[in-house]
Amino acid sequence: MQTSEATPVFILVEPQMGENIGAACRVMGNFGISELRIVKPRDGWPNPKAVSMATGSPVLDNAQVFETLEEAVADCQLLFASTAQPRNMVKPAFTARAGMAEIRGHIEAGQRVGVLFGAEKSGLPNAAITLSNAIITLPVDRSFSSLNLSMAVGVFAHEWRAGDPAPAEFKPLDERAPEQEMTAFYNHLEEELERAGFFYPPEKTPLMMQNLINAFARGGLTQQEVRTLRGVIKALAIGRGKARIERD
Amino acid sequence: MQTSEATPVFILVEPQMGENIGAACRVMGNFGISELRIVKPRDGWPNPKAVSMATGSPVLDNAQVFETLEEAVADCQLLFASTAQPRNMVKPAFTARAGMAEIRGHIEAGQRVGVLFGAEKSGLPNAAITLSNAIITLPVDRSFSSLNLSMAVGVFAHEWRAGDPAPAEFKPLDERAPEQEMTAFYNHLEEELERAGFFYPPEKTPLMMQNLINAFARGGLTQQEVRTLRGVIKALAIGRGKARIERD
């Protein structure tokens, strides 16, 4: 479903290590960014280390290799240069979050947007930043600011998706017990505690019940959990060893 | 400045590859998350591959190693389990963005929050997810959902900072020329174009100027750029080769 949607084009400019190209392919695949272009990879192409680190990512097979930056960006209508180092250029600078929102707006308006990533050692050449319409950067700790190349790709790739909801497969909390079952559970608990002589002095009963109910209401309970906890109360109320005897 | 702030504790549960532990240390350092705990690393500790991939990250030296998960999380008041696979547990599930905002709220209220990451092959054991208060997950493409461990750490680490502004070193667009200089530039351009006979038919002049002004106003210009462009107009207006002659 994600793959049919238009996404930014990620462009690695003269990357050095095949491992990083492969890891970039993997994480782009994780977040459904399908189009990778590579300008003059140092160790040629194809690269076995890239294949190994891509772990079967479909992005690797579709990657296009170019001899020059100009060819790689020819059809892009907007370019965002990722860089950790300000280059003394007067250009709008976005964080990953703000920049990806900006890019999404352009893409939804039908524009083709490229995001440029520089080489491991030196980052993007000044000429690539000059061509770009804007800078996109990360809020790094200035005392330890050098990100691994594939990590930078990963962070931007995730940011493209960061506003999506959690995958639907995660069990939502929609199995919560309805309030009438919670009330019946609280009443059962209060009755048995009353019988056991737990509430002392007796005028404290409402406050003590309020505290207990708060503890259960905070996380909520499913119907199954309510049934289990009522079994727990019953077993404890019968007295030590007797639940087992009754069951036998 | 970032390091004095309270941050979540990242906990790797039985990680296998030293490379991933090192890469996790590096990216945690990039985003100023200082506290790493490691439960039973497969290849022991210290691990030379971790040292190499950490590229000097201060997070590596401060990492603590534990024999059991229980010891590693003993002082945490809230646990978030990162997992790509739903485990059929009824538990709130947050995306990285929503989850990190949630965690920030708890940390600002003085709570100690742990984020759990599982092993490369199998992810977190069910027991670790059971202990946790919530699940934190990523909006991955379900057809290619397996993230590299250090990449997952990186994405969550960045998300902790994603709301921060771009580093102050990036040159803001505050050197824009004031409107009076823009107006003088537009007037200069119009005058020279008028002289050159560019406006034809003459009644189209206002519309043609409007289009030209829009092109310059869109990106804005600095004072230096206005001066340069006025030099360009002058040179072109003098005629071919003559600017050089005048300068000589």
Side-chain angles (χ1 to χ4, degrees):
Chain A
M1 78 211 132
Q2 290 183 342
T3 42
S4 64
E5 176 212 49
T7 61
V9 179
F10 279 12
I11 301 154
L12 306 185
V13 182
E14 304 193 22
Q16 302 170 282
M17 297 181 66
E19 291 88 335
N20 285 333
I21 303 173
C25 289
R26 176 171 176 183
V27 74
M28 287 173 67
N30 294 145
F31 294 115
I33 296 192
S34 52
E35 208 172 335
L36 177 67
R37 300 179 184 177
I38 312 169
V39 179
K40 245 172 53 185
R42 184 191 64 187
D43 298 336
W45 196 257
N47 181 321
K49 284 177 183 161
V51 174
S52 157
M53 290 296 280
T55 64
S57 170
V59 176
L60 184 89
D61 300 324
N62 298 327
Q64 290 179 281
V65 176
F66 295 85
E67 266 306 297
T68 66
L69 175 65
E70 286 68 24
E71 293 168 88
V73 301
D75 62 337
C76 293
Q77 289 154 312
L78 276 153
L79 294 176
F80 284 71
S82 71
T83 176
Q85 294 304 323
R87 305 293 182 93
N88 215 31
M89 299 200 197
V90 182
K91 206 160 284 232
F94 295 94
T95 60
R97 180 176 288 182
M100 281 295 162
E102 180 79 13
I103 289 172
R104 186 173 291 280
H106 292 298
I107 286 180
E108 284 173 357
Q111 308 289 294
R112 202 152 175 69
V113 181
V115 181
L116 304 176
F117 297 88
E120 286 86 342
K121 235 183 198 144
S122 46
L124 284 171
N126 277 343
I129 300 180
T130 302
L131 279 186
S132 299
N133 304 92
I135 283 170
I136 188 165
T137 190
L138 294 168
V140 289
D141 190 319
R142 299 315 287 174
S143 67
F144 191 71
S145 65
S146 167
L147 254 83
N148 168 273
L149 169 57
S150 67
M151 197 59 85
V153 170
V155 164
F156 284 108
H158 169 259
E159 212 54 41
W160 175 253
R161 297 284 173 211
D164 288 7
E169 295 89 337
F170 284 87
K171 211 157 191 167
L173 273 177
D174 58 5
E175 297 183 5
R176 280 171 189 274
E179 229 21 65
Q180 61 184 10
E181 292 182 25
M182 296 298 284
T183 307
F185 163 64
Y186 299 144
N187 289 341
H188 182 186
L189 179 63
E190 183 170 358
E191 252 167 55
E192 291 295 354
L193 289 176
E194 178 70 52
R195 246 186 249 174
F198 176 78
F199 298 116
Y200 186 84
E203 61 269 26
K204 285 264 172 86
T205 306
L207 184 63
M208 291 169 91
M209 274 313 294
Q210 175 181 301
N211 292 343
L212 278 168
I213 292 173
N214 273 332
F216 288 109
R218 190 176 305 123
L221 293 172
T222 65
Q223 292 187 293
Q224 179 56 56
E225 288 163 349
V226 167
R227 278 193 295 273
T228 305
L229 283 170
R230 293 190 68 164
V232 166
I233 295 169
K234 210 172 153 192
L236 291 173
I238 291 171
R240 292 194 176 161
K242 295 198 187 135
R244 197 186 313 120
I245 295 162
E246 267 202 356
R247 253 203 327 270
D248 293 341
Chain B
M1 73 207 138
Q2 291 181 342
T3 42
S4 63
E5 176 212 49
T7 62
V9 179
F10 280 11
I11 301 154
L12 306 186
V13 182
E14 305 193 24
Q16 301 170 281
M17 298 181 64
E19 291 88 336
N20 285 332
I21 303 173
C25 289
R26 177 170 174 183
V27 75
M28 288 174 67
N30 293 146
F31 294 116
I33 295 192
S34 52
E35 206 172 336
L36 176 66
R37 300 178 184 178
I38 312 170
V39 179
K40 245 173 52 185
R42 185 191 62 186
D43 299 335
W45 197 257
N47 181 320
K49 286 176 183 162
V51 173
S52 157
M53 290 295 281
T55 63
S57 169
V59 176
L60 184 89
D61 300 325
N62 297 326
Q64 290 179 283
V65 176
F66 296 85
E67 265 307 297
T68 67
L69 175 65
E70 287 67 25
E71 293 167 88
V73 302
D75 61 338
C76 294
Q77 288 153 313
L78 276 155
L79 294 177
F80 285 70
S82 72
T83 175
Q85 295 305 322
R87 306 291 182 95
N88 215 31
M89 299 200 198
V90 182
K91 205 161 282 230
F94 296 93
T95 60
R97 180 177 289 182
M100 281 295 163
E102 180 78 14
I103 289 171
R104 186 173 291 280
H106 291 298
I107 287 180
E108 284 173 358
Q111 308 288 295
R112 201 152 175 70
V113 181
V115 181
L116 304 177
F117 297 87
E120 287 86 341
K121 238 186 196 142
S122 46
L124 283 171
N126 278 342
I129 299 180
T130 302
L131 279 186
S132 298
N133 303 93
I135 283 169
I136 189 164
T137 189
L138 295 168
V140 289
D141 191 319
R142 299 315 285 175
S143 67
F144 192 71
S145 65
S146 167
L147 254 83
N148 169 273
L149 169 58
S150 66
M151 196 59 84
V153 169
V155 164
F156 285 109
H158 168 259
E159 212 53 43
W160 175 253
R161 297 283 173 213
D164 287 7
E169 296 90 336
F170 282 87
K171 210 157 192 167
L173 274 176
D174 58 5
E175 297 183 6
R176 280 171 188 274
E179 228 21 63
Q180 61 185 7
E181 293 183 26
M182 296 300 282
T183 306
F185 163 63
Y186 298 144
N187 290 342
H188 180 185
L189 179 63
E190 183 171 358
E191 252 167 56
E192 290 296 354
L193 288 176
E194 178 71 51
R195 245 185 251 177
F198 175 78
F199 298 116
Y200 185 82
E203 61 270 29
K204 285 265 173 82
T205 306
L207 184 63
M208 291 169 89
M209 275 311 295
Q210 176 182 300
N211 292 343
L212 279 168
I213 292 173
N214 273 333
F216 288 110
R218 189 175 306 124
L221 294 171
T222 65
Q223 292 187 293
Q224 179 55 55
E225 287 162 349
V226 167
R227 279 194 293 274
T228 305
L229 283 170
R230 294 190 69 163
V232 166
I233 295 168
K234 210 173 154 191
L236 290 173
I238 292 168
R240 292 191 176 159
K242 296 198 184 128
R244 197 184 314 118
I245 295 162
E246 266 203 356
R247 252 202 331 267
D248 291 343

